[in-house]
Amino acid sequence: MLRGITCIPYTCLLSMDAAIRSNATKKKKTSQTLENKFLFELHSCSKAKDLCGAISLYDAAVSNNTRLNQHHFNALLYLCSNSVTNPLLKDSALKFGFRIFDHMSSTLGINLNEASITTVARLAAAKGDGNYAFELVKNMGKYNVSPRLRTYDPALFCFCELLDGDKAYEVEEHMNDAGLSLEEAELAALLKVSVKNGRAERVYEYLHKLRSTVRCVTESTALVIEEWFRSSKASEVGDMNLDAGRVKEGILRNGGGWHGQGWVGHGDWIVCTTSVDVDGHCSCCREQLVCVDIDDEETEKFAQSIAALAMEREVKSNFTEFQGWLETHACYEAIVDGANVGLYQQNFAEGGFSIYQLDDVVKELYNQSGKKWPLVILHNKRLRGLMENPSGRKLLEEWMNNGVLYTSPNGSNDDWYWLFAAVKLKCLLVTNDEMRDHIFELLGSNFFNQWKERHQVHYTFVKGNLKLQMPPSYSLVMQESEKGSWHVPLASGISCESSRSWLCITRPSALDSVATVSNGVDTSENSQFFHHCDSIDPHLPERFANEVCSLDSQVDENNTTSLIGKRKERSPP
């Protein structure tokens, strides 16, 4: 045995190691128990909206050196931000909330996340400090955190409540730079501050932003809109000499339903609550509402995105060839998804591909369009099978002679072809395909649904008889007419659209400002609409009623009906 060294039995060493590990485990369990207990009681306070209990709980946790993390602080901050709405708790919630925030960020150096910043911004806004709320958002970059719409809301709503329009517009610009899309709540707040400050150009801007973002406005937003049009400032602004050609051009370029050229006319506005009939006529002013399309720029981007995706998945040369062919055959007003029509209701024993159903659709479109042939897109393999039947061959040869048929090549997906043709040529698309498959999901849904509403034609065969269901005669969306009037649909839970309430906002003087009765886009099977004096709302001022009646004589009797879908300028009155 070595002198000065005590030998400890191996079994004793094991016992000592076990004791050390046991003590460490006990400490860890004690720590976990304190943290878990704190979190459980904090959630109970939050659920009960017990701010005083949460403050006591926090103070005890700090005294006990309980380890607090980001989640704990966020829960405390959230409780504070909810408590500021209670007048009895507001002061305590603000004082405690900023104390928590300072402890979290300065003392402990815990990184802030989006939730932390949003709740503190709400606290800042609650005490009327929009600048601090806005600074929090602008400095989020140093935490490598991206803002959300809700992160900006406290600053934006605070400035709007304080009627500080310039600061509110600055917040909006920052939101746009961050790539965020404002929703009705934000746009309504910006509209309201613009109305209160009499900023006519801003009111016009936000009405159009609402139009493009929200289909039907809530009652609170409708009240803000009504407040503007009943104000003295609204009656003072407007152009009595607006160029009719420029207005018409704006309507056509934008897809109908708005021109964006500014206020039309001068003087008081007439605001009433009304309804719209099934044909799209306002029951108050009798104006025809339109089916709104996506604008020219969006349409071109949409066509390009379809082409780009098609060439990724198709043989590039094949689709490029189709694009070139379409450039020299751009006169079609309707595209037909041949496979969809031919296979409709053919899932029975003797069923197959019905070329006769397809022929019925072709002939009906031909007759409705004033003797213009549609374009049928059909896959090449389908064509070969149909050519084997003598009667089928005869129809196909007739279609080929009339330029009705385009066949997509072997190995291709004909969906790309008929969709691209319909978008590129801005015309109707006859198909019952709801376009929810994978390839359509690739296109996104920004304006796809709006485009389908305006261009898709559904069909049915009842006992062998074809019925085409054309796009609706009008869109359920805020509309600005060529004459400067506005129609605003109100959100409701109704099932029958004819019962929906609308705001009808008209200006008698606007009838003299733009000499036209067209609304830019031909959207109904009968493009003419004659105003009848006996159908005018009796509550309208006499002068306005007379001016509306005088429009009867301005309608061009020689104006002919065109198949709906393709944008066309109407003949000038």
Side-chain angles (χ1 to χ4, degrees):
M1 182 180 290
L2 294 175
R3 191 182 300 274
I5 298 178
T6 304
C7 289
I8 302 174
Y10 178 68
T11 53
C12 292
L13 287 173
L14 289 176
S15 299
M16 291 171 61
D17 181 57
I20 292 170
R21 282 185 293 171
S22 177
N23 288 335
T25 301
K26 286 179 182 179
K27 287 182 179 179
K28 186 175 181 181
K29 283 184 178 179
T30 302
S31 176
Q32 285 180 338
T33 300
L34 287 173
E35 291 172 21
N36 290 339
K37 182 181 178 183
F38 174 78
L39 185 60
F40 175 79
E41 293 179 350
L42 177 58
H43 284 165
S44 298
C45 290
S46 182
K47 187 175 181 180
K49 299 180 181 180
D50 183 4
L51 178 65
C52 295
I55 294 173
S56 300
L57 185 64
Y58 168 77
D59 289 337
V62 172
S63 299
N64 295 331
N65 292 319
T66 303
R67 186 174 59 187
L68 303 179
N69 58 32
Q70 185 186 74
H71 178 69
H72 296 136
F73 281 106
N74 280 352
L76 288 165
L77 289 170
Y78 183 74
L79 179 58
C80 291
S81 70
N82 280 344
S83 299
V84 295
T85 59
N86 185 334
L88 299 177
L89 297 175
K90 183 175 180 179
D91 289 341
S92 298
L94 290 173
K95 183 178 179 180
F96 181 55
F98 284 109
R99 176 185 159 201
I100 290 290
F101 180 59
D102 183 66
H103 185 197
M104 173 188 185
S105 58
S106 301
T107 305
L108 299 180
I110 295 175
N111 279 337
L112 305 179
N113 62 12
E114 185 273 332
S116 313
I117 295 168
T118 296
T119 49
V120 178
R122 288 172 182 165
L123 293 173
K127 68 173 187 175
D129 194 348
N131 288 314
Y132 185 64
F134 192 23
E135 285 301 317
L136 283 168
V137 184
K138 290 193 286 188
N139 292 326
M140 287 179 72
K142 66 182 182 182
Y143 303 108
N144 294 317
V145 178
S146 298
R148 295 165 60 182
L149 196 60
R150 68 177 190 176
T151 321
Y152 281 99
D153 279 351
L156 179 67
F157 292 143
C158 182
F159 289 132
C160 288
E161 286 294 322
L162 296 172
L163 300 184
D164 191 342
D166 291 334
K167 291 296 291 186
Y169 305 144
E170 184 183 343
V171 175
E172 183 203 9
E173 184 177 352
H174 208 274
M175 296 166 87
N176 292 333
D177 291 341
L180 297 172
S181 298
L182 277 66
E183 297 176 357
E184 182 175 2
E186 292 77 23
L187 292 172
L190 287 160
L191 176 64
K192 186 173 183 178
V193 73
S194 302
V195 169
K196 295 292 187 184
N197 291 329
R199 300 286 294 272
E201 76 291 348
R202 287 284 187 174
V203 172
Y204 190 77
E205 174 188 342
Y206 290 120
L207 281 176
H208 277 299
K209 287 184 177 180
L210 271 171
R211 176 197 54 75
S212 63
T213 305
V214 184
R215 294 186 73 84
C216 301
V217 303
T218 60
E219 184 178 350
S220 59
T221 302
L223 289 173
V224 176
I225 295 173
E226 188 171 350
E227 180 183 351
W228 164 253
F229 284 104
R230 293 189 184 279
S231 70
S232 58
K233 181 65 177 177
S235 65
E236 296 171 359
V237 296
D239 191 343
M240 288 292 293
N241 299 300
L242 206 59
D243 182 79
R246 193 177 69 181
V247 171
K248 182 182 287 291
E249 181 186 347
I251 290 279
L252 293 170
R253 181 180 61 251
N254 296 330
W258 68 286
H259 56 77
Q261 301 300 312
W263 304 111
V264 178
H266 202 73
D268 292 342
W269 294 85
I270 301 165
V271 182
C272 64
T273 302
T274 185
S275 60
V276 175
D277 67 26
V278 292
D279 294 322
H281 297 129
C282 173
S283 300
C284 182
C285 69
R286 299 307 300 163
E287 190 162 11
Q288 169 72 61
L289 273 64
V290 302
C291 193
V292 179
D293 202 354
I294 59 178
D295 63 36
D296 286 351
E297 184 178 348
E298 289 175 326
T299 301
E300 186 56 34
K301 287 181 180 177
F302 191 20
Q304 290 174 3
S305 66
I306 295 169
L309 286 167
M311 286 190 284
E312 281 180 17
R313 289 159 175 77
E314 300 282 307
V315 176
K316 187 174 181 179
S317 59
N318 288 340
F319 199 80
T320 302
E321 180 183 338
F322 175 64
Q323 288 178 285
W325 181 87
L326 209 58
E327 290 289 337
T328 58
H329 297 78
C331 60
Y332 296 104
E333 293 193 0
I335 309 298
V336 181
D337 176 2
N340 186 269
V341 175
L343 294 172
Y344 179 74
Q345 291 184 339
Q346 297 300 304
N347 54 341
F348 53 91
E350 295 79 22
F353 185 97
S354 175
I355 194 170
Y356 302 107
Q357 286 185 171
L358 189 52
D359 187 49
D360 285 346
V361 170
V362 168
K363 284 184 169 59
E364 181 64 20
L365 292 170
Y366 177 76
N367 292 328
Q368 284 196 24
S369 65
K371 311 304 181 184
K372 291 184 179 179
W373 292 106
L375 174 64
V376 175
I377 304 291
L378 203 59
H379 199 281
N380 189 43
K381 69 178 181 181
R382 187 77 61 187
L383 177 70
R384 290 200 306 270
L386 293 171
M387 289 292 282
E388 295 175 0
N389 183 296
S391 58
R393 185 187 305 116
K394 184 178 179 180
L395 272 177
L396 290 169
E397 289 173 350
E398 179 185 332
W399 291 351
M400 291 175 186
N401 291 334
N402 290 312
V404 173
L405 193 62
Y406 188 95
T407 55
S408 56
N410 292 338
S412 67
N413 185 337
D414 54 345
D415 291 358
W416 293 116
Y417 289 77
W418 51 254
L419 180 59
F420 176 77
V423 173
K424 185 66 178 177
L425 301 186
K426 303 173 185 172
C427 62
L428 294 174
L429 172 62
V430 182
T431 182
N432 282 346
D433 190 330
E434 292 305 325
M435 293 172 263
R436 298 192 185 102
D437 294 345
H438 173 64
I439 72 163
F440 304 112
E441 290 177 358
L442 296 171
L443 299 169
S445 58
N446 266 351
F447 43 76
F448 197 7
N449 288 335
Q450 186 181 343
W451 180 87
K452 286 197 295 181
E453 178 187 63
R454 176 68 179 86
H455 293 270
Q456 185 173 8
V457 177
H458 293 85
Y459 62 87
T460 57
F461 285 92
V462 180
K463 296 182 179 180
N465 296 316
L466 168 67
K467 182 177 180 181
L468 296 179
Q469 182 184 336
M470 292 297 183
S473 57
Y474 71 99
S475 294
L476 187 64
V477 65
M478 188 187 304
Q479 301 193 17
E480 176 194 32
S481 81
E482 214 168 312
K483 297 190 287 288
S485 63
W486 291 78
H487 289 86
V488 183
L490 308 186
S492 64
I494 61 168
S495 57
C496 179
E497 282 305 324
S498 61
S499 301
R500 182 180 298 280
S501 293
W502 290 66
L503 286 182
C504 169
I505 306 166
T506 53
R507 202 179 209 178
S509 63
L511 292 169
D512 302 321
S513 302
V514 181
T516 178
V517 295
S518 163
N519 204 17
V521 178
D522 189 2
T523 61
S524 63
E525 292 185 83
N526 184 354
S527 63
Q528 300 179 17
F529 170 66
F530 295 87
H531 295 277
H532 298 284
C533 298
D534 59 359
S535 65
I536 294 175
D537 192 306
H539 300 292
L540 291 179
E542 182 180 354
R543 178 189 166 210
F544 182 44
N546 290 337
E547 288 176 309
V548 172
C549 288
S550 70
L551 291 176
D552 287 355
S553 60
Q554 298 178 26
V555 178
D556 181 6
E557 294 181 359
N558 295 320
N559 188 20
T560 57
T561 302
S562 171
L563 182 67
I564 64 172
K566 198 154 187 176
R567 294 184 200 156
K568 293 181 175 295
E569 285 197 35
R570 292 183 181 176
S571 302

